[in-house]
Amino acid sequence: MSRGSKALLRRMLTPNVSATSLETRKFHVKDAIAKDLLEKVGRTFLAGYGHAVETGDDAALAERLAEIPSRFRGFAYEGAAMGFTVVDGLTFARGRRVGRFMAGSGAPHIYMVYVGIGWAMARLPRPLWPKMAFDPLLQWFILDGYGFHQAYFKTGKYVKGQHQDPAFPWPGGPHQWYADRALDQGIGRALWFVGGTDADVVTDLIGEFPVRRRPDLYAGAGLAATYAGGADEDELRRFWKAAGDCRPQVAQGSAFAAEARRLAGLESPHTGIATGVFCDLPPDEAADICVRTRPDGRDQGELPAHEVWRRRIADEFVSRGRS
């Protein structure tokens, strides 16, 4: 494909940047700083998406994304994973491009790559979903990405209406029941954006959901607060206090975020502030808990390995008095 054809493909497939405006999304605006942060996250995501669509090449993409500031680069990799997955779907490539990306420059950003695949699946018809083998431990991050997308773009239905997809068709198998749980983790991440990083607003949004869904929503929000940032220490402490019985899940999500940033080499001061509040640990030590408790990837009886992992992390924080 010629350079001009690739550029045209990028223009055709990349969503308009206005879609990331808080006014367009009708999200809460806490202040100008938080608004600028969230909109920059959105723009960076779309930049990564567009670069992937246009280059179609892992090495060329990595050169472009290296120019993005480290605080936001992970979101560009997330967008790039969506871009590769969309192009794979439209060209019936069965995951060829995104597979190379996962094994190449996307490997240190593997958590964000899986989330980006979920974004693509939310945009593609089901017959065009990627046909490839995913890591059974990490594949649930795909549904996290799908849930985030739905709450971000279909806020009325998924946040105000608290919609769930009880017959969600992927990934199948004996743990299909867990799909709703993974989707809720993504919805919880999106609530940090819908609430404009305002800890009190996000707490109120979660409080509108049924009690049974709140642990996963709090875990997702804790991850977003740690990875994306946008709240100061006092705000994070209010969020932590309001989480009540869900504090271990907030700590678990925060530790996931610390591990995702460390693995990618994208450490940021705001992450340390959040893990200090939620985990009572510096980010490296919070990330170490994720590494130490990680299952071997095989499902554990009645529970998917992903949920075993999350419970081990949460239990670690309970044993440390973070509850």
Side-chain angles (χ1 to χ4, degrees), residues 167-183:
F168 197 83
W170 190 91
H175 297 124
Q176 184 59 38
W177 59 270
Y178 190 71
D180 266 341
R181 297 279 310 278
L183 290 166

Side-chain angles (χ1 to χ4, degrees), residues 1-322:
M1 184 180 290
S2 69
R3 181 178 298 179
S5 297
K6 290 180 178 178
L8 176 61
L9 182 65
R10 174 177 183 166
R11 289 196 297 272
M12 291 173 59
L13 295 182
T14 304
N16 193 292
V17 71
S18 65
T20 66
S21 162
L22 265 64
E23 286 85 355
T24 299
R25 301 260 58 83
K26 295 181 171 55
F27 292 171
H28 174 71
V29 176
K30 181 175 69 176
D31 55 40
I33 295 174
K35 179 177 183 292
D36 180 68
L37 169 70
L38 295 182
E39 292 183 345
K40 188 167 184 177
V41 166
R43 291 193 301 270
T44 306
F45 179 97
L46 289 181
Y49 175 93
H51 288 327
V53 170
E54 183 174 352
T55 65
D57 176 76
D58 178 46
L61 175 76
E63 290 183 10
R64 295 191 182 188
L65 299 193
E67 299 174 359
I68 295 173
S70 60
R71 176 167 187 174
F72 299 97
R73 197 178 306 151
F75 299 107
Y77 272 88
E78 182 182 355
M82 179 186 178
F84 281 133
T85 306
V86 167
V87 175
D88 277 348
L90 296 178
T91 57
F92 303 97
R94 301 181 66 85
R96 184 177 66 248
R97 292 175 185 83
V98 75
R100 286 199 299 261
F101 182 51
M102 294 171 76
S105 69
H109 308 269
I110 193 63
Y111 302 109
M112 304 301 279
V113 169
Y114 270 98
V115 169
I117 293 170
W119 272 71
M121 287 171 54
R123 291 293 180 105
L124 291 169
R126 290 177 187 173
L128 301 184
W129 286 2
K131 306 292 193 300
M132 56 187 292
F134 293 112
D135 184 316
L137 177 66
L138 301 182
Q139 67 179 355
W140 299 102
F141 284 119
I142 294 176
L143 292 190
D144 182 304
Y146 189 105
F148 183 103
H149 177 282
Q150 299 302 77
Y152 189 92
F153 288 103
K154 301 179 181 180
T155 310
K157 180 177 182 179
Y158 280 82
V159 177
K160 302 301 182 184
Q162 302 169 11
H163 177 75
Q164 286 192 289
D165 293 297
F168 197 83
W170 190 91
H175 297 124
Q176 184 59 38
W177 59 270
Y178 190 71
D180 266 341
R181 297 279 310 278
L183 290 166
D184 271 355
Q185 291 153 36
I187 292 170
R189 275 198 311 117
L191 292 179
W192 189 251
F193 287 70
V194 175
T197 80
D198 187 317
D200 299 325
V201 172
V202 177
T203 297
D204 289 343
L205 287 170
I206 294 174
E208 294 174 2
F209 282 79
V211 172
R212 62 180 173 78
R213 299 180 64 181
R214 292 177 194 171
D216 290 318
L217 297 172
Y218 266 113
L223 195 161
T226 305
Y227 194 96
D232 63 26
E233 185 173 348
D234 288 341
E235 289 180 281
L236 294 174
R237 291 197 182 281
R238 291 203 306 274
F239 186 71
W240 170 257
K241 182 178 180 180
D245 292 343
C246 298
R247 289 173 192 161
Q249 286 73 38
V250 174
Q252 175 266 307
S254 182
F256 262 2
E259 165 59 1
R261 280 204 170 270
R262 185 177 71 171
L263 180 64
L266 303 177
E267 292 91 343
S268 181
H270 73 268
T271 298
I273 295 172
T275 61
V277 172
F278 297 153
C279 306
D280 197 28
L281 290 172
D284 270 352
E285 293 183 31
D288 283 342
I289 291 175
C290 297
V291 174
R292 188 175 69 251
T293 59
R294 178 172 175 154
D296 61 11
R298 292 176 294 180
D299 290 333
Q300 312 286 311
E302 295 181 358
L303 295 175
H306 187 80
E307 177 61 15
V308 171
W309 192 18
R310 295 177 67 242
R311 291 190 183 189
R312 287 178 181 176
I313 296 169
D315 289 346
E316 178 88 11
F317 287 113
V318 171
S319 71
R320 291 169 173 266
R322 303 307 288 164

